[in-house]
Amino acid sequence: MKIICGRKHVVGTADRMLYGHFLEHFHRQIYAGVFDPSSPFADEDGFRQDVLDALRRIRTPIIRWPGGCFVSAYNWKYGVGKDRVPVYDKAWRVEESNRFGTDEFIKLCRKIGCEPYICTNAGTGTAEEMSDWVEYCNLRSMGRYAKQRIANGFSDPHRVRYWSIGNENWGAHEIGAKEAREWGRLVRESAKMMLRVDPTIELSAASIPDLDWNLNLLREAGQYLDWISIHGYWGNTKNGTLPDDYDTVILHTGADIAGSIDRVRAYLTAVGLEKKIRIAFDEWNLRGWYHPNLMDSWDRDSLCGEDEAFYRDKVLGERDKNDINAIYTMADAVFSASFLNTCLRNCDLVRMACFSPVVNTRGAIFTHADGIVLRPQFFVFEMYSGLLRDTVLQQWSEDVPSISGHADDETKTVDAIDVVVTCGDKGYAVSAVNKDPKTAHTVELRFLDGTPREMRMHTLNGPSPDAYNDVGQTQVGVTVGTWTPFDGTFTLPPHSVNVIELR
Ligand code: AHR
């Protein structure tokens, strides 16, 4: 495989928010995830210090919260103040204690050093409730909500810059689902009220790569928006614990992802907003979350009342299947790196991405009573956020090896090698993914404006495509080479994610 590139041919500057994350009130992401006052690892505010350390290690730039489907029936006012009244979570059909709310979320972000990104309730919520939330967070002292925040012990505003109006309100699965036309109007009216509270905030709105949905949204509310939010999960979750195998997963790294970005780019261009509005891929993961699909099952015999056994076994017990660490293998690392490379190749438009989620469920960090497990995806974020430079170069490639197979009831062919070249003041950093499960591949990389003299290779890998980490087992990790002369080529081991530094 040959690649040619040069500093004069630039895609754009990659925003660090491409390496962002998402946390929802679902299963063990918040409670027993980042927030666990009963844990021996808990700090004075109840946050797990081992989890905070891991999030700092991957330089988390932004966290989106509190949902996801959860938010579409969430009343934020129950989650602030001294008396936190438990409520029934109609999205996920469990009790929400409300012990973790806005102020705890802001504390979390301040401890990690990342931006808070709040997704508001456009399901059962109103423009007034959304703008009240902005008052609570961002007004210094005017009005009842800022005064409530002060009374709750936060004299300074939280200064939340990033806000999303709604979550997947386009889908029948969502509480408060909307038609395209009503969605555009609700976003417009909500945006007007939120911006009248704080005109400095940046606003996103739930969207999908669909023409009618976007044309309505952008015509009605485009003037108020800075972002458009799209989501993607590609791996099978039909039976939760039997996920797609490695060979199937790498076939998901193809045109589907780039295609959704291309379609949204086309919609923005069609209405002349491609210079104003950026894409926030603010929920993405290879694997959709496994939640027994209670939202749509009305088997009255098993779902009646508050049957303790039903909740223990059928709701919470089923969700614990997300915690099987053997599910998360080098397939997850290879997919995640390929996804981020697609975002980097579109970094002129895709400026934020939130891995969904980052702690537990399908996340990069798994918590247990005695510590944490770093799943393969974790190291992708550590390498990308720590090593890649900010400028993404265009590239010309030829002789790219490919892999074909059968997935989603069709034959798919994807590039076996996925490379993105970045540069900065301190030379180059090349992300290079070898999806091939069996064969190493050598890449010839030529620079139009002078070849670097030395290279250092960082390789994320395990003994097989199905290697994984678990409690008491470490099969997947990063090896760092030494600086060696660069002859214009590097060789990528099978099923590996690599970052090659060049200087
Ligand atoms: O499976 C989790 C859900 O996926 C999120 O709550 C929602 O935003 C998406 O549909």
Side-chain angles (χ1 to χ4, degrees), residues 194-382:
M194 295 168 83
L195 290 167
R196 288 184 184 196
V197 175
D198 182 351
T200 69
I201 62 175
E202 295 195 22
L203 281 177
S204 173
S207 187
I208 39 173
D210 169 82
L211 182 60
D212 288 340
W213 184 267
N214 278 285
L215 288 186
N216 263 289
L217 172 61
L218 296 171
R219 283 180 178 142
E220 295 282 354
Q223 61 180 309
Y224 301 106
L225 297 178
D226 305 280
W227 302 85
I228 198 162
S229 161
I230 55 176
H231 294 171
Y233 297 91
W234 288 269
N236 155 35
T237 54
K238 293 177 186 60
N239 45 30
T241 55
L242 298 176
D244 290 338
D245 61 15
Y246 181 92
D247 291 345
T248 303
V249 165
I250 54 176
L251 297 174
H252 293 318
T253 63
D256 313 39
I257 302 171
S260 54
I261 294 171
D262 290 346
R263 282 196 297 280
V264 175
R265 184 191 289 272
Y267 306 148
L268 290 169
T269 304
V271 295
L273 290 171
E274 76 282 3
K275 299 292 182 210
K276 175 179 186 291
I277 293 177
R278 291 146 293 165
I279 293 177
F281 225 120
D282 55 19
E283 275 189 39
W284 70 270
N285 197 327
L286 162 63
R287 304 185 197 282
W289 306 356
Y290 180 60
H291 28 73
N293 207 8
L294 296 175
M295 296 87 87
D296 303 326
S297 58
W298 307 113
D299 170 359
R300 296 195 185 284
D301 297 341
S302 65
L303 296 181
C304 63
E306 296 170 84
D307 175 338
E308 291 299 324
F310 164 71
Y311 273 87
R312 183 188 63 244
D313 303 336
K314 290 296 177 197
V315 179
L316 302 179
E318 277 296 301
R319 290 173 184 170
D320 287 343
K321 291 180 179 177
N322 288 289
D323 288 345
I324 300 172
N325 287 310
I327 292 172
Y328 312 100
T329 69
M330 278 308 300
D332 295 78
V334 163
F335 176 91
S336 297
S338 299
F339 175 88
L340 291 174
N341 280 1
T342 301
C343 291
L344 288 166
R345 279 189 284 271
N346 291 277
C347 67
D348 60 317
L349 185 62
V350 184
R351 310 289 294 159
M352 183 197 304
C354 299
F355 185 64
S356 166
V358 64
V359 178
N360 292 329
T361 310
R362 300 301 202 194
I365 301 163
F366 168 77
T367 65
H368 57 96
D370 303 321
I372 58 175
V373 173
L374 303 179
R375 292 170 172 166
Q377 311 91 306
F378 176 87
F379 302 99
V380 172
F381 287 101
E382 184 175 40

Side-chain angles (χ1 to χ4, degrees), residues 22 24 26 29 64 66-71 91-92 167-168 170 173-174 231 233 282-283 287-291 295 356 361:
F22 173 50
E24 177 163 356
F26 174 83
Q29 295 176 33
R64 176 174 178 257
C69 293
F70 169 80
V71 77
W92 299 122
N167 174 79
E168 300 191 0
W170 40 263
H173 64 281
E174 195 77 11
H231 294 171
Y233 297 91
D282 55 19
E283 275 189 39
R287 304 185 197 282
W289 306 356
Y290 180 60
H291 28 73
M295 296 87 87
S356 166
T361 310

Side-chain angles (χ1 to χ4, degrees), residues 76-123:
W76 68 268
K77 298 174 183 177
Y78 297 148
V80 294
K82 300 214 179 357
D83 305 322
R84 308 290 178 89
V85 178
V87 295
Y88 182 70
D89 167 6
K90 294 184 179 69
W92 299 122
R93 307 187 68 166
V94 294
E95 182 171 88
E96 165 58 48
S97 68
N98 274 313
R99 281 198 65 191
F100 188 99
T102 303
D103 297 330
E104 289 72 28
F105 172 58
I106 297 300
K107 271 187 189 174
L108 169 67
C109 293
R110 297 304 178 240
K111 287 173 182 274
I112 298 167
C114 74
E115 286 287 344
Y117 174 22
I118 292 181
C119 181
T120 63
N121 172 1

